[in-house]
C-alpha cells in the first residue's frame, strides 16, 4: 500500500475500510524515491484488490492509503530523451 497523506506506517498498524479492521501492517517505511509512506500488510482477500482505498492507523491517527501492486517504485522515465 501507499499512504496518500503524510505518515510512516509501522508493523502492527491496523488497516481499515470504514470502521472495519481488514488487516495489519507487516512492514512499513518512508520511501525516499517516492517521497511517501509505503508498506506491506496482510489484508482480507475480499478487500485486497489493488486500488482499494483504506486507512492505516498510524500512532492513533487514521491515514488515507491505497492498496497497490508491487514493486512500489517509480518507473517513469525521468530525464530521458
Amino acid at each position: 500500500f501507499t499512504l496518500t497523506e503524510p505518515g510512516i506506517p509501522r508493523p502492527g498498524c491496523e488497516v481499515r475500510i470504514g470502521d472495519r479492521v481488514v488487516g495489519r501492517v507487516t512492514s512499513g517505511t518512508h520511501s525516499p524515491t517516492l517521497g511517501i509512506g509505503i508498506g506491506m500488510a496482510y489484508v482480507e482477500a475480499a478487500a485486497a484488490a489493488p486500488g482499494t482505498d483504506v486507512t492505516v492507523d498510524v500512532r492513533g491517527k487514521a491515514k488515507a492509503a491505497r492498496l497497490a501492486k508491487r514493486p512500489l517504485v517509480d518507473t517513469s522515465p525521468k530525464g530521458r530523451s
Side-chain angles (χ1 to χ4, degrees), residues 1-2 4 17 43 46-55 64-70 72:
F1 64 87
T2 58
T4 56
I17 295 178
V43 179
T52 301
D53 289 325
V54 296
T55 58
R66 181 165 292 131
L67 301 183
K69 288 180 123 180
R70 292 182 302 160
L72 299 177

Side-chain angles (χ1 to χ4, degrees), residues 19-52:
D19 291 333
R20 191 167 69 91
V21 176
V22 295
R24 288 210 177 265
V25 175
T26 58
S27 64
T29 191
H30 175 79
S31 169
T33 57
L34 297 176
I36 58 173
I38 63 171
M40 294 185 67
Y42 283 115
V43 179
E44 294 175 4
T52 301

Side-chain angles (χ1 to χ4, degrees), residues 9-10 12-16 25 55-63:
R10 295 294 184 207
C13 293
E14 292 179 344
V15 178
R16 297 175 171 265
V25 175
T55 58
V56 177
D57 184 316
V58 177
R59 296 185 180 186
K61 295 185 178 178
K63 300 290 183 172

